[in-house]
mmCIF file with all atom_site columns, all heavy atoms in Angstrom:
data_model
loop_
_atom_site.group_PDB
_atom_site.id
_atom_site.type_symbol
_atom_site.label_atom_id
_atom_site.label_alt_id
_atom_site.label_comp_id
_atom_site.label_asym_id
_atom_site.label_entity_id
_atom_site.label_seq_id
_atom_site.pdbx_PDB_ins_code
_atom_site.Cartn_x
_atom_site.Cartn_y
_atom_site.Cartn_z
_atom_site.occupancy
_atom_site.B_iso_or_equiv
_atom_site.pdbx_formal_charge
_atom_site.auth_seq_id
_atom_site.auth_comp_id
_atom_site.auth_asym_id
_atom_site.auth_atom_id
_atom_site.pdbx_PDB_model_num
ATOM 1   N N   . ALA G 1 1  ? 82.131 83.158 128.793 1.00 92.00 ? 1  ALA G N   1
ATOM 2   C CA  . ALA G 1 1  ? 81.291 82.372 127.947 1.00 92.00 ? 1  ALA G CA  1
ATOM 3   C C   . ALA G 1 1  ? 79.903 82.090 128.589 1.00 92.00 ? 1  ALA G C   1
ATOM 4   O O   . ALA G 1 1  ? 78.851 82.065 127.848 1.00 92.00 ? 1  ALA G O   1
ATOM 5   C CB  . ALA G 1 1  ? 81.984 80.999 127.625 1.00 92.00 ? 1  ALA G CB  1
ATOM 6   N N   . VAL G 1 2  ? 79.823 81.916 129.904 1.00 95.00 ? 2  VAL G N   1
ATOM 7   C CA  . VAL G 1 2  ? 78.548 81.616 130.459 1.00 95.00 ? 2  VAL G CA  1
ATOM 8   C C   . VAL G 1 2  ? 77.825 82.843 130.940 1.00 95.00 ? 2  VAL G C   1
ATOM 9   O O   . VAL G 1 2  ? 76.630 82.805 131.226 1.00 95.00 ? 2  VAL G O   1
ATOM 10  C CB  . VAL G 1 2  ? 78.651 80.627 131.664 1.00 95.00 ? 2  VAL G CB  1
ATOM 11  C CG1 . VAL G 1 2  ? 79.139 79.271 131.135 1.00 95.00 ? 2  VAL G CG1 1
ATOM 12  C CG2 . VAL G 1 2  ? 79.542 81.115 132.753 1.00 95.00 ? 2  VAL G CG2 1
ATOM 13  N N   . SER G 1 3  ? 78.510 83.979 131.049 1.00 96.00 ? 3  SER G N   1
ATOM 14  C CA  . SER G 1 3  ? 77.845 85.205 131.541 1.00 96.00 ? 3  SER G CA  1
ATOM 15  C C   . SER G 1 3  ? 77.554 86.221 130.469 1.00 96.00 ? 3  SER G C   1
ATOM 16  O O   . SER G 1 3  ? 76.840 87.202 130.704 1.00 96.00 ? 3  SER G O   1
ATOM 17  C CB  . SER G 1 3  ? 78.682 85.854 132.655 1.00 96.00 ? 3  SER G CB  1
ATOM 18  O OG  . SER G 1 3  ? 79.938 86.224 132.190 1.00 96.00 ? 3  SER G OG  1
ATOM 19  N N   . SER G 1 4  ? 78.141 86.131 129.293 1.00 96.00 ? 4  SER G N   1
ATOM 20  C CA  . SER G 1 4  ? 77.913 87.101 128.243 1.00 96.00 ? 4  SER G CA  1
ATOM 21  C C   . SER G 1 4  ? 77.805 86.428 126.890 1.00 96.00 ? 4  SER G C   1
ATOM 22  O O   . SER G 1 4  ? 78.798 86.020 126.274 1.00 96.00 ? 4  SER G O   1
ATOM 23  C CB  . SER G 1 4  ? 79.109 88.095 128.201 1.00 96.00 ? 4  SER G CB  1
ATOM 24  O OG  . SER G 1 4  ? 79.016 88.966 127.085 1.00 96.00 ? 4  SER G OG  1
ATOM 25  N N   . ASP G 1 5  ? 76.564 86.331 126.432 1.00 97.00 ? 5  ASP G N   1
ATOM 26  C CA  . ASP G 1 5  ? 76.314 85.792 125.074 1.00 97.00 ? 5  ASP G CA  1
ATOM 27  C C   . ASP G 1 5  ? 76.997 86.668 124.020 1.00 97.00 ? 5  ASP G C   1
ATOM 28  O O   . ASP G 1 5  ? 77.546 86.163 123.069 1.00 97.00 ? 5  ASP G O   1
ATOM 29  C CB  . ASP G 1 5  ? 74.822 85.711 124.795 1.00 97.00 ? 5  ASP G CB  1
ATOM 30  C CG  . ASP G 1 5  ? 74.130 84.614 125.570 1.00 97.00 ? 5  ASP G CG  1
ATOM 31  O OD1 . ASP G 1 5  ? 74.818 83.677 126.035 1.00 97.00 ? 5  ASP G OD1 1
ATOM 32  O OD2 . ASP G 1 5  ? 72.843 84.674 125.695 1.00 97.00 ? 5  ASP G OD2 1
ATOM 33  N N   . GLY G 1 6  ? 77.060 87.937 124.241 1.00 97.00 ? 6  GLY G N   1
ATOM 34  C CA  . GLY G 1 6  ? 77.664 88.892 123.281 1.00 97.00 ? 6  GLY G CA  1
ATOM 35  C C   . GLY G 1 6  ? 79.148 88.615 123.086 1.00 97.00 ? 6  GLY G C   1
ATOM 36  O O   . GLY G 1 6  ? 79.633 88.590 121.967 1.00 97.00 ? 6  GLY G O   1
ATOM 37  N N   . VAL G 1 7  ? 79.819 88.454 124.201 1.00 97.00 ? 7  VAL G N   1
ATOM 38  C CA  . VAL G 1 7  ? 81.298 88.125 124.093 1.00 97.00 ? 7  VAL G CA  1
ATOM 39  C C   . VAL G 1 7  ? 81.501 86.780 123.505 1.00 97.00 ? 7  VAL G C   1
ATOM 40  O O   . VAL G 1 7  ? 82.345 86.577 122.584 1.00 97.00 ? 7  VAL G O   1
ATOM 41  C CB  . VAL G 1 7  ? 81.989 88.207 125.504 1.00 97.00 ? 7  VAL G CB  1
ATOM 42  C CG1 . VAL G 1 7  ? 83.411 87.703 125.438 1.00 97.00 ? 7  VAL G CG1 1
ATOM 43  C CG2 . VAL G 1 7  ? 81.982 89.687 125.950 1.00 97.00 ? 7  VAL G CG2 1
ATOM 44  N N   . ARG G 1 8  ? 80.751 85.755 123.918 1.00 97.00 ? 8  ARG G N   1
ATOM 45  C CA  . ARG G 1 8  ? 80.862 84.418 123.388 1.00 97.00 ? 8  ARG G CA  1
ATOM 46  C C   . ARG G 1 8  ? 80.642 84.466 121.837 1.00 97.00 ? 8  ARG G C   1
ATOM 47  O O   . ARG G 1 8  ? 81.434 83.878 121.064 1.00 97.00 ? 8  ARG G O   1
ATOM 48  C CB  . ARG G 1 8  ? 79.834 83.478 124.060 1.00 97.00 ? 8  ARG G CB  1
ATOM 49  C CG  . ARG G 1 8  ? 80.052 82.040 123.597 1.00 97.00 ? 8  ARG G CG  1
ATOM 50  C CD  . ARG G 1 8  ? 78.999 81.108 124.354 1.00 97.00 ? 8  ARG G CD  1
ATOM 51  N NE  . ARG G 1 8  ? 77.680 81.670 124.486 1.00 97.00 ? 8  ARG G NE  1
ATOM 52  C CZ  . ARG G 1 8  ? 76.796 81.697 123.455 1.00 97.00 ? 8  ARG G CZ  1
ATOM 53  N NH1 . ARG G 1 8  ? 77.091 81.251 122.297 1.00 97.00 ? 8  ARG G NH1 1
ATOM 54  N NH2 . ARG G 1 8  ? 75.586 82.263 123.667 1.00 97.00 ? 8  ARG G NH2 1
ATOM 55  N N   . GLU G 1 9  ? 79.626 85.178 121.446 1.00 98.00 ? 9  GLU G N   1
ATOM 56  C CA  . GLU G 1 9  ? 79.319 85.226 119.922 1.00 98.00 ? 9  GLU G CA  1
ATOM 57  C C   . GLU G 1 9  ? 80.393 85.977 119.228 1.00 98.00 ? 9  GLU G C   1
ATOM 58  O O   . GLU G 1 9  ? 80.793 85.589 118.102 1.00 98.00 ? 9  GLU G O   1
ATOM 59  C CB  . GLU G 1 9  ? 77.939 85.890 119.778 1.00 98.00 ? 9  GLU G CB  1
ATOM 60  C CG  . GLU G 1 9  ? 76.779 85.046 120.208 1.00 98.00 ? 9  GLU G CG  1
ATOM 61  C CD  . GLU G 1 9  ? 75.464 85.788 120.357 1.00 98.00 ? 9  GLU G CD  1
ATOM 62  O OE1 . GLU G 1 9  ? 75.379 86.986 119.948 1.00 98.00 ? 9  GLU G OE1 1
ATOM 63  O OE2 . GLU G 1 9  ? 74.519 85.145 120.803 1.00 98.00 ? 9  GLU G OE2 1
ATOM 64  N N   . ALA G 1 10 ? 80.961 87.038 119.785 1.00 98.00 ? 10 ALA G N   1
ATOM 65  C CA  . ALA G 1 10 ? 82.030 87.799 119.153 1.00 98.00 ? 10 ALA G CA  1
ATOM 66  C C   . ALA G 1 10 ? 83.295 86.905 118.995 1.00 98.00 ? 10 ALA G C   1
ATOM 67  O O   . ALA G 1 10 ? 83.948 86.965 117.974 1.00 98.00 ? 10 ALA G O   1
ATOM 68  C CB  . ALA G 1 10 ? 82.352 89.013 119.963 1.00 98.00 ? 10 ALA G CB  1
ATOM 69  N N   . VAL G 1 11 ? 83.604 86.127 120.057 1.00 98.00 ? 11 VAL G N   1
ATOM 70  C CA  . VAL G 1 11 ? 84.772 85.221 119.975 1.00 98.00 ? 11 VAL G CA  1
ATOM 71  C C   . VAL G 1 11 ? 84.551 84.157 118.888 1.00 98.00 ? 11 VAL G C   1
ATOM 72  O O   . VAL G 1 11 ? 85.421 83.872 118.049 1.00 98.00 ? 11 VAL G O   1
ATOM 73  C CB  . VAL G 1 11 ? 85.076 84.610 121.367 1.00 98.00 ? 11 VAL G CB  1
ATOM 74  C CG1 . VAL G 1 11 ? 86.112 83.530 121.195 1.00 98.00 ? 11 VAL G CG1 1
ATOM 75  C CG2 . VAL G 1 11 ? 85.562 85.708 122.326 1.00 98.00 ? 11 VAL G CG2 1
ATOM 76  N N   . ASN G 1 12 ? 83.342 83.616 118.852 1.00 98.00 ? 12 ASN G N   1
ATOM 77  C CA  . ASN G 1 12 ? 83.043 82.536 117.851 1.00 98.00 ? 12 ASN G CA  1
ATOM 78  C C   . ASN G 1 12 ? 83.087 83.119 116.482 1.00 98.00 ? 12 ASN G C   1
ATOM 79  O O   . ASN G 1 12 ? 83.546 82.442 115.518 1.00 98.00 ? 12 ASN G O   1
ATOM 80  C CB  . ASN G 1 12 ? 81.695 81.938 118.155 1.00 98.00 ? 12 ASN G CB  1
ATOM 81  C CG  . ASN G 1 12 ? 81.780 80.902 119.282 1.00 98.00 ? 12 ASN G CG  1
ATOM 82  O OD1 . ASN G 1 12 ? 82.803 80.282 119.476 1.00 98.00 ? 12 ASN G OD1 1
ATOM 83  N ND2 . ASN G 1 12 ? 80.717 80.757 120.036 1.00 98.00 ? 12 ASN G ND2 1
ATOM 84  N N   . LYS G 1 13 ? 82.706 84.379 116.286 1.00 98.00 ? 13 LYS G N   1
ATOM 85  C CA  . LYS G 1 13 ? 82.749 85.076 114.999 1.00 98.00 ? 13 LYS G CA  1
ATOM 86  C C   . LYS G 1 13 ? 84.186 85.175 114.575 1.00 98.00 ? 13 LYS G C   1
ATOM 87  O O   . LYS G 1 13 ? 84.577 84.924 113.464 1.00 98.00 ? 13 LYS G O   1
ATOM 88  C CB  . LYS G 1 13 ? 82.108 86.420 115.090 1.00 98.00 ? 13 LYS G CB  1
ATOM 89  C CG  . LYS G 1 13 ? 82.251 87.226 113.767 1.00 98.00 ? 13 LYS G CG  1
ATOM 90  C CD  . LYS G 1 13 ? 81.700 88.646 113.897 1.00 98.00 ? 13 LYS G CD  1
ATOM 91  C CE  . LYS G 1 13 ? 82.035 89.403 112.635 1.00 98.00 ? 13 LYS G CE  1
ATOM 92  N NZ  . LYS G 1 13 ? 81.630 90.799 112.707 1.00 98.00 ? 13 LYS G NZ  1
ATOM 93  N N   . ALA G 1 14 ? 85.118 85.568 115.525 1.00 98.00 ? 14 ALA G N   1
ATOM 94  C CA  . ALA G 1 14 ? 86.541 85.674 115.234 1.00 98.00 ? 14 ALA G CA  1
ATOM 95  C C   . ALA G 1 14 ? 87.100 84.296 114.763 1.00 98.00 ? 14 ALA G C   1
ATOM 96  O O   . ALA G 1 14 ? 87.798 84.211 113.826 1.00 98.00 ? 14 ALA G O   1
ATOM 97  C CB  . ALA G 1 14 ? 87.255 86.205 116.467 1.00 98.00 ? 14 ALA G CB  1
ATOM 98  N N   . PHE G 1 15 ? 86.753 83.257 115.520 1.00 98.00 ? 15 PHE G N   1
ATOM 99  C CA  . PHE G 1 15 ? 87.244 81.958 115.132 1.00 98.00 ? 15 PHE G CA  1
ATOM 100 C C   . PHE G 1 15 ? 86.738 81.528 113.761 1.00 98.00 ? 15 PHE G C   1
ATOM 101 O O   . PHE G 1 15 ? 87.469 80.990 112.977 1.00 98.00 ? 15 PHE G O   1
ATOM 102 C CB  . PHE G 1 15 ? 86.839 80.880 116.177 1.00 98.00 ? 15 PHE G CB  1
ATOM 103 C CG  . PHE G 1 15 ? 87.484 81.031 117.535 1.00 98.00 ? 15 PHE G CG  1
ATOM 104 C CD1 . PHE G 1 15 ? 86.986 80.460 118.658 1.00 98.00 ? 15 PHE G CD1 1
ATOM 105 C CD2 . PHE G 1 15 ? 88.710 81.727 117.640 1.00 98.00 ? 15 PHE G CD2 1
ATOM 106 C CE1 . PHE G 1 15 ? 87.621 80.546 119.827 1.00 98.00 ? 15 PHE G CE1 1
ATOM 107 C CE2 . PHE G 1 15 ? 89.374 81.833 118.891 1.00 98.00 ? 15 PHE G CE2 1
ATOM 108 C CZ  . PHE G 1 15 ? 88.832 81.279 119.975 1.00 98.00 ? 15 PHE G CZ  1
ATOM 109 N N   . ALA G 1 16 ? 85.506 81.898 113.436 1.00 98.00 ? 16 ALA G N   1
ATOM 110 C CA  . ALA G 1 16 ? 84.936 81.576 112.102 1.00 98.00 ? 16 ALA G CA  1
ATOM 111 C C   . ALA G 1 16 ? 85.708 82.252 110.981 1.00 98.00 ? 16 ALA G C   1
ATOM 112 O O   . ALA G 1 16 ? 86.010 81.724 109.961 1.00 98.00 ? 16 ALA G O   1
ATOM 113 C CB  . ALA G 1 16 ? 83.471 81.936 111.998 1.00 98.00 ? 16 ALA G CB  1
ATOM 114 N N   . VAL G 1 17 ? 86.131 83.547 111.226 1.00 98.00 ? 17 VAL G N   1
ATOM 115 C CA  . VAL G 1 17 ? 86.965 84.289 110.255 1.00 98.00 ? 17 VAL G CA  1
ATOM 116 C C   . VAL G 1 17 ? 88.293 83.585 110.074 1.00 98.00 ? 17 VAL G C   1
ATOM 117 O O   . VAL G 1 17 ? 88.739 83.333 108.952 1.00 98.00 ? 17 VAL G O   1
ATOM 118 C CB  . VAL G 1 17 ? 87.155 85.730 110.734 1.00 98.00 ? 17 VAL G CB  1
ATOM 119 C CG1 . VAL G 1 17 ? 88.190 86.430 109.856 1.00 98.00 ? 17 VAL G CG1 1
ATOM 120 C CG2 . VAL G 1 17 ? 85.840 86.494 110.607 1.00 98.00 ? 17 VAL G CG2 1
ATOM 121 N N   . PHE G 1 18 ? 88.918 83.221 111.188 1.00 98.00 ? 18 PHE G N   1
ATOM 122 C CA  . PHE G 1 18 ? 90.229 82.538 111.092 1.00 98.00 ? 18 PHE G CA  1
ATOM 123 C C   . PHE G 1 18 ? 90.118 81.215 110.397 1.00 98.00 ? 18 PHE G C   1
ATOM 124 O O   . PHE G 1 18 ? 90.959 80.801 109.584 1.00 98.00 ? 18 PHE G O   1
ATOM 125 C CB  . PHE G 1 18 ? 90.873 82.371 112.485 1.00 98.00 ? 18 PHE G CB  1
ATOM 126 C CG  . PHE G 1 18 ? 90.987 83.628 113.260 1.00 98.00 ? 18 PHE G CG  1
ATOM 127 C CD1 . PHE G 1 18 ? 90.988 83.600 114.664 1.00 98.00 ? 18 PHE G CD1 1
ATOM 128 C CD2 . PHE G 1 18 ? 91.175 84.825 112.647 1.00 98.00 ? 18 PHE G CD2 1
ATOM 129 C CE1 . PHE G 1 18 ? 91.149 84.767 115.402 1.00 98.00 ? 18 PHE G CE1 1
ATOM 130 C CE2 . PHE G 1 18 ? 91.353 86.073 113.371 1.00 98.00 ? 18 PHE G CE2 1
ATOM 131 C CZ  . PHE G 1 18 ? 91.317 85.956 114.762 1.00 98.00 ? 18 PHE G CZ  1
ATOM 132 N N   . GLU G 1 19 ? 89.019 80.505 110.687 1.00 98.00 ? 19 GLU G N   1
ATOM 133 C CA  . GLU G 1 19 ? 88.803 79.195 110.028 1.00 98.00 ? 19 GLU G CA  1
ATOM 134 C C   . GLU G 1 19 ? 88.657 79.305 108.513 1.00 98.00 ? 19 GLU G C   1
ATOM 135 O O   . GLU G 1 19 ? 89.043 78.450 107.759 1.00 98.00 ? 19 GLU G O   1
ATOM 136 C CB  . GLU G 1 19 ? 87.613 78.468 110.631 1.00 98.00 ? 19 GLU G CB  1
ATOM 137 C CG  . GLU G 1 19 ? 87.897 77.990 112.018 1.00 98.00 ? 19 GLU G CG  1
ATOM 138 C CD  . GLU G 1 19 ? 86.606 77.407 112.721 1.00 98.00 ? 19 GLU G CD  1
ATOM 139 O OE1 . GLU G 1 19 ? 85.595 77.098 112.048 1.00 98.00 ? 19 GLU G OE1 1
ATOM 140 O OE2 . GLU G 1 19 ? 86.691 77.248 113.987 1.00 98.00 ? 19 GLU G OE2 1
ATOM 141 N N   . GLY G 1 20 ? 88.151 80.459 108.056 1.00 98.00 ? 20 GLY G N   1
ATOM 142 C CA  . GLY G 1 20 ? 88.074 80.707 106.658 1.00 98.00 ? 20 GLY G CA  1
ATOM 143 C C   . GLY G 1 20 ? 89.484 80.684 105.965 1.00 98.00 ? 20 GLY G C   1
ATOM 144 O O   . GLY G 1 20 ? 89.654 80.128 104.898 1.00 98.00 ? 20 GLY G O   1
ATOM 145 N N   . TYR G 1 21 ? 90.422 81.243 106.631 1.00 98.00 ? 21 TYR G N   1
ATOM 146 C CA  . TYR G 1 21 ? 91.787 81.230 106.117 1.00 98.00 ? 21 TYR G CA  1
ATOM 147 C C   . TYR G 1 21 ? 92.376 79.800 106.210 1.00 98.00 ? 21 TYR G C   1
ATOM 148 O O   . TYR G 1 21 ? 93.025 79.355 105.194 1.00 98.00 ? 21 TYR G O   1
ATOM 149 C CB  . TYR G 1 21 ? 92.684 82.199 106.918 1.00 98.00 ? 21 TYR G CB  1
ATOM 150 C CG  . TYR G 1 21 ? 92.366 83.655 106.628 1.00 98.00 ? 21 TYR G CG  1
ATOM 151 C CD1 . TYR G 1 21 ? 91.464 84.334 107.378 1.00 98.00 ? 21 TYR G CD1 1
ATOM 152 C CD2 . TYR G 1 21 ? 92.999 84.302 105.533 1.00 98.00 ? 21 TYR G CD2 1
ATOM 153 C CE1 . TYR G 1 21 ? 91.186 85.652 107.158 1.00 98.00 ? 21 TYR G CE1 1
ATOM 154 C CE2 . TYR G 1 21 ? 92.696 85.626 105.287 1.00 98.00 ? 21 TYR G CE2 1
ATOM 155 C CZ  . TYR G 1 21 ? 91.760 86.326 106.062 1.00 98.00 ? 21 TYR G CZ  1
ATOM 156 O OH  . TYR G 1 21 ? 91.487 87.620 105.772 1.00 98.00 ? 21 TYR G OH  1
ATOM 157 N N   . TYR G 1 22 ? 92.138 79.131 107.271 1.00 98.00 ? 22 TYR G N   1
ATOM 158 C CA  . TYR G 1 22 ? 92.613 77.743 107.385 1.00 98.00 ? 22 TYR G CA  1
ATOM 159 C C   . TYR G 1 22 ? 91.966 76.863 106.297 1.00 98.00 ? 22 TYR G C   1
ATOM 160 O O   . TYR G 1 22 ? 92.638 75.975 105.758 1.00 98.00 ? 22 TYR G O   1
ATOM 161 C CB  . TYR G 1 22 ? 92.343 77.199 108.755 1.00 98.00 ? 22 TYR G CB  1
ATOM 162 C CG  . TYR G 1 22 ? 93.221 77.771 109.836 1.00 98.00 ? 22 TYR G CG  1
ATOM 163 C CD1 . TYR G 1 22 ? 92.667 78.269 110.980 1.00 98.00 ? 22 TYR G CD1 1
ATOM 164 C CD2 . TYR G 1 22 ? 94.607 77.838 109.718 1.00 98.00 ? 22 TYR G CD2 1
ATOM 165 C CE1 . TYR G 1 22 ? 93.386 78.813 112.041 1.00 98.00 ? 22 TYR G CE1 1
ATOM 166 C CE2 . TYR G 1 22 ? 95.391 78.359 110.750 1.00 98.00 ? 22 TYR G CE2 1
ATOM 167 C CZ  . TYR G 1 22 ? 94.757 78.879 111.890 1.00 98.00 ? 22 TYR G CZ  1
ATOM 168 O OH  . TYR G 1 22 ? 95.518 79.410 112.897 1.00 98.00 ? 22 TYR G OH  1
ATOM 169 N N   . ALA G 1 23 ? 90.704 77.074 105.997 1.00 98.00 ? 23 ALA G N   1
ATOM 170 C CA  . ALA G 1 23 ? 90.003 76.319 104.955 1.00 98.00 ? 23 ALA G CA  1
ATOM 171 C C   . ALA G 1 23 ? 90.689 76.546 103.573 1.00 98.00 ? 23 ALA G C   1
ATOM 172 O O   . ALA G 1 23 ? 90.833 75.653 102.813 1.00 98.00 ? 23 ALA G O   1
ATOM 173 C CB  . ALA G 1 23 ? 88.545 76.666 104.884 1.00 98.00 ? 23 ALA G CB  1
ATOM 174 N N   . ARG G 1 24 ? 91.096 77.746 103.341 1.00 98.00 ? 24 ARG G N   1
ATOM 175 C CA  . ARG G 1 24 ? 91.800 78.041 102.058 1.00 98.00 ? 24 ARG G CA  1
ATOM 176 C C   . ARG G 1 24 ? 93.134 77.263 102.006 1.00 98.00 ? 24 ARG G C   1
ATOM 177 O O   . ARG G 1 24 ? 93.505 76.710 100.954 1.00 98.00 ? 24 ARG G O   1
ATOM 178 C CB  . ARG G 1 24 ? 92.029 79.499 101.891 1.00 98.00 ? 24 ARG G CB  1
ATOM 179 C CG  . ARG G 1 24 ? 90.750 80.253 101.515 1.00 98.00 ? 24 ARG G CG  1
ATOM 180 C CD  . ARG G 1 24 ? 90.947 81.740 101.421 1.00 98.00 ? 24 ARG G CD  1
ATOM 181 N NE  . ARG G 1 24 ? 91.961 82.172 100.521 1.00 98.00 ? 24 ARG G NE  1
ATOM 182 C CZ  . ARG G 1 24 ? 92.452 83.373 100.509 1.00 98.00 ? 24 ARG G CZ  1
ATOM 183 N NH1 . ARG G 1 24 ? 91.962 84.283 101.335 1.00 98.00 ? 24 ARG G NH1 1
ATOM 184 N NH2 . ARG G 1 24 ? 93.426 83.679 99.622  1.00 98.00 ? 24 ARG G NH2 1
ATOM 185 N N   . ILE G 1 25 ? 93.791 77.224 103.154 1.00 98.00 ? 25 ILE G N   1
ATOM 186 C CA  . ILE G 1 25 ? 95.060 76.428 103.173 1.00 98.00 ? 25 ILE G CA  1
ATOM 187 C C   . ILE G 1 25 ? 94.789 74.983 102.894 1.00 98.00 ? 25 ILE G C   1
ATOM 188 O O   . ILE G 1 25 ? 95.489 74.338 102.070 1.00 98.00 ? 25 ILE G O   1
ATOM 189 C CB  . ILE G 1 25 ? 95.756 76.643 104.512 1.00 98.00 ? 25 ILE G CB  1
ATOM 190 C CG1 . ILE G 1 25 ? 96.317 78.034 104.675 1.00 98.00 ? 25 ILE G CG1 1
ATOM 191 C CG2 . ILE G 1 25 ? 96.829 75.548 104.767 1.00 98.00 ? 25 ILE G CG2 1
ATOM 192 C CD1 . ILE G 1 25 ? 96.803 78.443 106.086 1.00 98.00 ? 25 ILE G CD1 1
ATOM 193 N N   . VAL G 1 26 ? 93.747 74.422 103.565 1.00 98.00 ? 26 VAL G N   1
ATOM 194 C CA  . VAL G 1 26 ? 93.363 73.024 103.330 1.00 98.00 ? 26 VAL G CA  1
ATOM 195 C C   . VAL G 1 26 ? 92.997 72.768 101.890 1.00 98.00 ? 26 VAL G C   1
ATOM 196 O O   . VAL G 1 26 ? 93.438 71.792 101.245 1.00 98.00 ? 26 VAL G O   1
ATOM 197 C CB  . VAL G 1 26 ? 92.239 72.625 104.280 1.00 98.00 ? 26 VAL G CB  1
ATOM 198 C CG1 . VAL G 1 26 ? 91.631 71.262 103.947 1.00 98.00 ? 26 VAL G CG1 1
ATOM 199 C CG2 . VAL G 1 26 ? 92.763 72.628 105.755 1.00 98.00 ? 26 VAL G CG2 1
ATOM 200 N N   . GLU G 1 27 ? 92.197 73.607 101.311 1.00 98.00 ? 27 GLU G N   1
ATOM 201 C CA  . GLU G 1 27 ? 91.743 73.452 99.929  1.00 98.00 ? 27 GLU G CA  1
ATOM 202 C C   . GLU G 1 27 ? 92.944 73.470 98.986  1.00 98.00 ? 27 GLU G C   1
ATOM 203 O O   . GLU G 1 27 ? 92.978 72.679 97.988  1.00 98.00 ? 27 GLU G O   1
ATOM 204 C CB  . GLU G 1 27 ? 90.731 74.515 99.563  1.00 98.00 ? 27 GLU G CB  1
ATOM 205 C CG  . GLU G 1 27 ? 89.369 74.338 100.293 1.00 98.00 ? 27 GLU G CG  1
ATOM 206 C CD  . GLU G 1 27 ? 88.472 75.594 100.316 1.00 98.00 ? 27 GLU G CD  1
ATOM 207 O OE1 . GLU G 1 27 ? 88.936 76.648 99.799  1.00 98.00 ? 27 GLU G OE1 1
ATOM 208 O OE2 . GLU G 1 27 ? 87.385 75.493 100.870 1.00 98.00 ? 27 GLU G OE2 1
ATOM 209 N N   . ASP G 1 28 ? 93.858 74.376 99.220  1.00 98.00 ? 28 ASP G N   1
ATOM 210 C CA  . ASP G 1 28 ? 95.062 74.485 98.321  1.00 98.00 ? 28 ASP G CA  1
ATOM 211 C C   . ASP G 1 28 ? 95.917 73.228 98.523  1.00 98.00 ? 28 ASP G C   1
ATOM 212 O O   . ASP G 1 28 ? 96.487 72.773 97.544  1.00 98.00 ? 28 ASP G O   1
ATOM 213 C CB  . ASP G 1 28 ? 95.856 75.767 98.648  1.00 98.00 ? 28 ASP G CB  1
ATOM 214 C CG  . ASP G 1 28 ? 95.113 77.028 98.230  1.00 98.00 ? 28 ASP G CG  1
ATOM 215 O OD1 . ASP G 1 28 ? 94.136 76.958 97.446  1.00 98.00 ? 28 ASP G OD1 1
ATOM 216 O OD2 . ASP G 1 28 ? 95.569 78.109 98.629  1.00 98.00 ? 28 ASP G OD2 1
ATOM 217 N N   . LEU G 1 29 ? 96.088 72.753 99.728  1.00 97.00 ? 29 LEU G N   1
ATOM 218 C CA  . LEU G 1 29 ? 96.848 71.486 99.895  1.00 97.00 ? 29 LEU G CA  1
ATOM 219 C C   . LEU G 1 29 ? 96.135 70.341 99.187  1.00 97.00 ? 29 LEU G C   1
ATOM 220 O O   . LEU G 1 29 ? 96.822 69.482 98.635  1.00 97.00 ? 29 LEU G O   1
ATOM 221 C CB  . LEU G 1 29 ? 96.996 71.224 101.411 1.00 97.00 ? 29 LEU G CB  1
ATOM 222 C CG  . LEU G 1 29 ? 98.011 71.988 102.125 1.00 97.00 ? 29 LEU G CG  1
ATOM 223 C CD1 . LEU G 1 29 ? 98.004 71.724 103.634 1.00 97.00 ? 29 LEU G CD1 1
ATOM 224 C CD2 . LEU G 1 29 ? 99.449 71.680 101.572 1.00 97.00 ? 29 LEU G CD2 1
ATOM 225 N N   . ALA G 1 30 ? 94.842 70.270 99.308  1.00 97.00 ? 30 ALA G N   1
ATOM 226 C CA  . ALA G 1 30 ? 94.066 69.186 98.627  1.00 97.00 ? 30 ALA G CA  1
ATOM 227 C C   . ALA G 1 30 ? 94.268 69.250 97.154  1.00 97.00 ? 30 ALA G C   1
ATOM 228 O O   . ALA G 1 30 ? 94.524 68.263 96.471  1.00 97.00 ? 30 ALA G O   1
ATOM 229 C CB  . ALA G 1 30 ? 92.643 69.284 99.002  1.00 97.00 ? 30 ALA G CB  1
#
């Protein structure tokens, strides 16, 4: 995380994709 902005950004992108699925779960529960 502190030595490679590229890796940090790629990991955050992955988390954002996964969060999209979790958001759909939350919206459907709501």
Side-chain angles (χ1 to χ4, degrees):
V2 297
S3 62
S4 173
D5 288 340
V7 169
R8 184 179 43 75
E9 290 166 6
V11 169
N12 283 329
K13 176 184 175 188
F15 290 160
V17 169
F18 304 152
E19 287 173 18
Y21 288 93
Y22 290 128
R24 286 177 52 196
I25 289 171
V26 168
E27 290 162 358
D28 290 347
L29 282 173

